[in-house]
């Protein structure tokens, strides 16, 4: 993939918005570029620009940093699994030829050969298609990225009476939304929608699935229910090593009755609340009862250390859905996804 | 700097010795309580008296009072604040992706063993 000077303004804006000063500093240090600057804005606008002008900066590396910052965490993730059908095998489906045919049918083949770095496009746009490969060249995943403009309410809401009506108004801030569809070589398909209170997730998801039908036919990718993972979190809540902390639970009986259990202290373990656990246990002992939703804090590796830190995971909504409420690194996302798939059996 | 413990407080407030002893016994068993729970468990003559005693214990550093913001959606704790004046007027619940106006019923006074 080749990024050009036309992409630079968007790259600079996104570096400033998405990356920490330390990350940008590390990037400049790694290429031997000047790094002194009074603040992050100057570091990006002057030093990163200077590194590009001096031909030290590989824009692909900067795009990689942006990608890592915005593509992991703070998302709703929907899981699907490719099943064998009469059509092409998974290997055939991931071949260069098959991908090209599907992309041309959709009209986005140019996004594979000539991806764009879009800041805040006017319309929802497929900005990039990429094939991720392992160091020895085997395909790892096929990724399609969509970018859109969003208007998020922010700031103090104002209420006023206008002509007999109570009207609430709040300033809107224009921002960028990023969604991904990623097919791994093992057949797992993820649709990852950036979290946003204004988003209709079902509409976004189904619109993406429809648009990308030639690449990821719905009949070949049924949803993967996370019911087993939800049961695992209950059955293994006290396993040695405590890979997760439970903070909220919703349990449902066979007739539809439900109960919610919530821990009060934000940093407490539900597992350490004997009364809550006993009540939840009684509720789940009934025939047909099941854990319907969890908020679990998964222990994930802390970047650059041997320690772990918590990543908040909300398992509610659609049967194949989970959300990560905080931005995380690529490694942390993969770790969390791997754990959930392991728990799901 | 506040200092002291239940015993010192009992010496200075001998009429409330029994009440303080019940409080001490409770905090020996569990780290934190809501005010309403303490009223129910300690059975003070009046809730106001208990509030005054807890204020005194907080001033002495024997207990810590925090104000816990609860989500009206999950009913779980979101964040602890040292003072009611630190609690914001609105809050965004990341788990349920909804903002809410903070009302008194969303703020839980919690007393914690120091």
């Amino acid at each position: 993939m080749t990024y050009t000077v036309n992409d630079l303004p968007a790259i600079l804006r996104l570096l400033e918005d998405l990356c920490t000063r330390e990350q940008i500093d590390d990037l400049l240090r790694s290429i031997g570029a000047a790094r002194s600057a009074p603040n992050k804005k100057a570091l990006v606008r002057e030093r990163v620009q200077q590194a590009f002008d001096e031909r030290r900066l590989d824009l692909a590396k900067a795009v990689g940093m942006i990608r890592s910052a915005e593509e992991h965490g703070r998302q709703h993730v929907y899981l699907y699994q490719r099943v064998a059908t009469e059509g092409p095998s998974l290997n055939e489906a991931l071949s260069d030829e098959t991908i090209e045919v599907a992309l041309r049918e959709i009209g986005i083949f140019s996004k594979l050969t000539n991806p764009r770095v879009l800041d805040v496009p006017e319309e929802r746009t497929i900005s990039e298609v990429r094939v991720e490969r392992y160091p020895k060249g085997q395909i790892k995943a096929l990724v399609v990225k969509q970018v859109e403009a969003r208007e998020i309410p922010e700031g103090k809401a104002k209420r006023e009476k206008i002509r007999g009506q109570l009207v609430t108004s709040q300033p809107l801030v224009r921002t960028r939304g990023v969604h991904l569809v990623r097919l791994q070589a093992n057949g797992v398909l993820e649709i990852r929608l950036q979290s946003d209170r204004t988003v209709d997730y079902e509409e976004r998801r189904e619109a993406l699935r429809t648009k990308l039908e030639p690449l990821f036919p719905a009949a070949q990718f049924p949803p993967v229910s996370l019911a087993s993972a939800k049961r695992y979190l209950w059955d293994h809540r006290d396993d040695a090593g405590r890979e997760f902390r439970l903070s909220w639970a919703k349990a449902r009986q066979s007739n539809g009755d439900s109960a919610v259990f919530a821990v009060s202290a934000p940093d407490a373990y539900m597992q350490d609340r004997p009364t809550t656990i006993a009540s939840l246990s009684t509720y789940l002992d009934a025939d047909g009862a099941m854990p319907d939703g969890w908020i679990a804090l998964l222990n994930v590796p802390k970047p650059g250390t041997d320690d772990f830190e918590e990543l908040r995971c909300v398992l509610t909504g659609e049967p194949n859905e989970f959300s990560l409420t905080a931005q995380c690194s690529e490694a942390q996302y993969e770790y969390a996804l791997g754990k959930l798939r392991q728990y799901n059996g | 700097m506040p200092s002291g413990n239940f015993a010192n407080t009992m010496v200075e407030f001998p009429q409330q010795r029994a009440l303080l002893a019940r409080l001490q016994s409770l905090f020996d068993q569990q780290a934190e309580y809501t005010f309403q729970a303490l009223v129910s468990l300690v059975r003070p003559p009046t809730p106001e008296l208990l509030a005054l005693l807890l204020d005194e214990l907080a001033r002495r550093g024997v207990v810590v009072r925090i104000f816990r913001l609860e989500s009206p959606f999950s009913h779980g704790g979101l964040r602890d604040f040292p003072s009611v004046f630190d609690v914001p007027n609105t809050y965004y619940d990341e788990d349920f992706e909804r903002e809410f106006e903070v009302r008194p019923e969303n703020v839980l006074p919690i007393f914690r063993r120091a």
Side-chain angles (χ1 to χ4, degrees):
Chain A
M1 292 182 183
T2 306
Y3 300 98
T4 71
V5 64
N6 294 330
D7 299 303
L8 186 60
I11 289 174
L12 294 179
R13 274 195 297 277
L14 291 170
L15 279 176
E16 189 179 333
D17 286 346
L18 298 171
C19 299
T20 65
R21 180 171 180 159
E22 290 70 28
Q23 288 170 319
I24 301 165
D25 208 62
D26 286 345
L27 172 68
L28 292 170
R29 183 188 299 113
S30 72
I31 57 176
R35 303 187 333 260
S36 61
N39 51 51
K40 186 170 79 164
K41 183 172 182 172
L43 188 68
V44 170
R45 303 284 165 158
E46 295 165 19
R47 296 304 184 201
V48 175
Q49 175 77 57
Q50 180 183 349
F52 175 78
D53 294 338
E54 293 173 353
R55 299 183 192 280
R56 290 175 186 269
L57 177 66
D58 175 1
L59 288 181
K61 204 166 180 179
V63 170
M65 270 178 59
I66 292 166
R67 188 180 288 157
S68 186
E70 70 176 359
E71 291 184 4
H72 305 95
R74 209 177 281 281
Q75 294 166 316
H76 285 243
V77 183
Y78 302 85
L79 293 181
Y80 307 81
Q81 177 71 49
R82 197 175 194 277
V83 296
T85 63
E86 290 182 358
S89 68
L90 179 58
N91 277 342
E92 288 164 348
L94 286 174
S95 69
D96 291 345
E97 297 76 20
T98 307
I99 291 173
E100 180 177 340
V101 166
L103 291 178
R104 288 191 186 281
E105 184 179 339
I106 300 168
I108 57 173
F109 179 66
S110 64
K111 301 302 165 59
L112 177 66
T113 55
N114 187 29
R116 296 185 54 199
V117 180
L118 297 174
D119 188 2
V120 185
E122 287 304 317
E123 291 182 354
R124 216 182 285 178
T125 306
I126 301 288
S127 65
E128 177 184 345
V129 180
R130 65 179 188 262
V131 176
E132 296 175 347
R133 296 186 183 276
Y134 290 105
K136 290 192 176 175
Q138 316 96 303
I139 193 165
K140 183 179 175 188
L142 171 65
V143 179
V144 179
K145 183 167 179 172
Q146 184 186 62
V147 182
E148 65 176 354
R150 286 181 174 176
E151 291 185 316
I152 312 285
E154 203 171 278
K156 195 170 170 56
K158 190 170 70 170
R159 283 204 185 96
E160 47 190 341
K161 285 184 192 167
I162 300 177
R163 291 193 289 276
Q165 304 223 352
L166 184 62
V167 176
T168 302
S169 61
Q170 197 173 6
L172 293 175
V173 174
R174 195 171 165 79
T175 184
R176 167 186 164 91
V178 170
H179 312 306
L180 292 172
V181 184
R182 179 170 176 245
L183 172 60
Q184 299 182 39
N186 58 10
V188 172
L189 181 72
E190 308 154 52
I191 297 181
R192 288 156 42 180
L193 307 181
Q194 190 168 323
S195 297
D196 171 9
R197 71 187 84 174
T198 65
V199 167
D200 179 339
Y201 293 109
E202 184 185 358
E203 184 274 327
R204 283 289 186 285
R205 184 189 70 232
E206 293 310 310
L208 256 181
R209 289 202 84 183
T210 301
K211 184 169 183 70
L212 300 177
E213 173 72 14
L215 257 183
F216 312 118
Q220 293 177 5
F221 291 95
V224 174
S225 168
L226 291 170
S228 296
K230 292 174 186 174
R231 172 57 68 175
Y232 183 101
L233 288 173
W234 174 246
D235 292 343
H236 296 268
R237 62 191 180 275
D238 284 324
D239 282 1
R242 280 208 172 161
E243 294 184 330
F244 51 84
R245 173 165 69 90
L246 299 175
S247 147
W248 179 89
K250 183 177 177 187
R252 196 176 288 281
Q253 302 269 291
S254 57
N255 63 359
D257 287 357
S258 68
V260 164
F261 299 80
V263 166
S264 181
D267 58 351
Y269 279 73
M270 183 180 283
Q271 294 102 308
D272 292 339
R273 303 296 211 220
T275 306
T276 302
I277 291 296
S279 300
L280 187 47
S281 186
T282 300
Y283 205 82
L284 289 172
D285 268 347
D287 286 343
M290 62 184 68
D292 199 30
W294 293 104
I295 295 175
L297 289 300
L298 305 175
N299 287 328
V300 297
K302 192 171 179 181
T305 73
D306 292 331
D307 293 332
F308 282 75
E309 60 185 2
E310 288 184 337
L311 182 61
R312 199 171 184 88
C313 177
V314 180
L315 279 145
T316 60
E318 307 272 352
N320 64 331
E321 177 184 359
F322 69 93
S323 71
L324 300 175
T325 63
Q327 191 177 329
C328 60
S329 71
E330 179 178 355
Q332 289 177 323
Y333 174 83
E334 294 293 347
Y335 187 91
L337 178 62
K339 279 295 175 187
L340 286 174
R341 292 191 60 229
Q342 175 197 328
Y343 299 161
N344 210 38
Chain B
M1 177 182 293
S3 64
N5 52 32
F6 279 99
N8 291 346
T9 313
M10 286 182 205
V11 167
E12 293 204 30
F13 297 90
Q15 305 98 315
Q16 311 307 332
R17 179 181 293 273
L19 198 54
L20 286 164
R22 290 202 291 277
L23 275 172
Q24 182 177 19
S25 171
L26 284 175
F27 280 107
D28 282 344
Q29 295 171 49
Q30 181 175 302
E32 58 183 47
Y33 293 87
T34 66
F35 178 71
Q36 290 303 327
L38 287 172
V39 169
S40 169
L41 292 168
V42 168
R43 301 181 310 279
T46 66
E48 290 77 12
L49 175 61
L50 178 61
L52 285 171
L53 268 183
L54 287 169
D55 271 352
E56 181 63 25
L57 290 169
R59 191 185 67 78
R60 289 163 178 262
V62 181
V63 299
V64 175
R65 176 174 52 202
I66 54 108
F67 295 87
R68 178 160 296 152
L69 182 61
E70 279 196 342
S71 165
F73 313 116
S74 72
H75 306 290
L78 290 169
R79 196 171 149 190
D80 292 344
F81 295 89
S83 158
V84 70
F85 300 107
D86 295 322
V87 178
N89 295 326
T90 61
Y91 199 84
Y92 182 67
D93 183 333
E94 297 266 3
D95 296 328
F96 287 80
E97 295 179 3
R98 291 172 67 181
E99 188 167 76
F100 63 96
E101 281 192 23
V102 177
R103 305 188 63 79
E105 60 262 32
N106 305 131
V107 183
L108 202 61
I110 298 272
F111 290 89
R112 179 184 285 165
R113 187 175 55 218

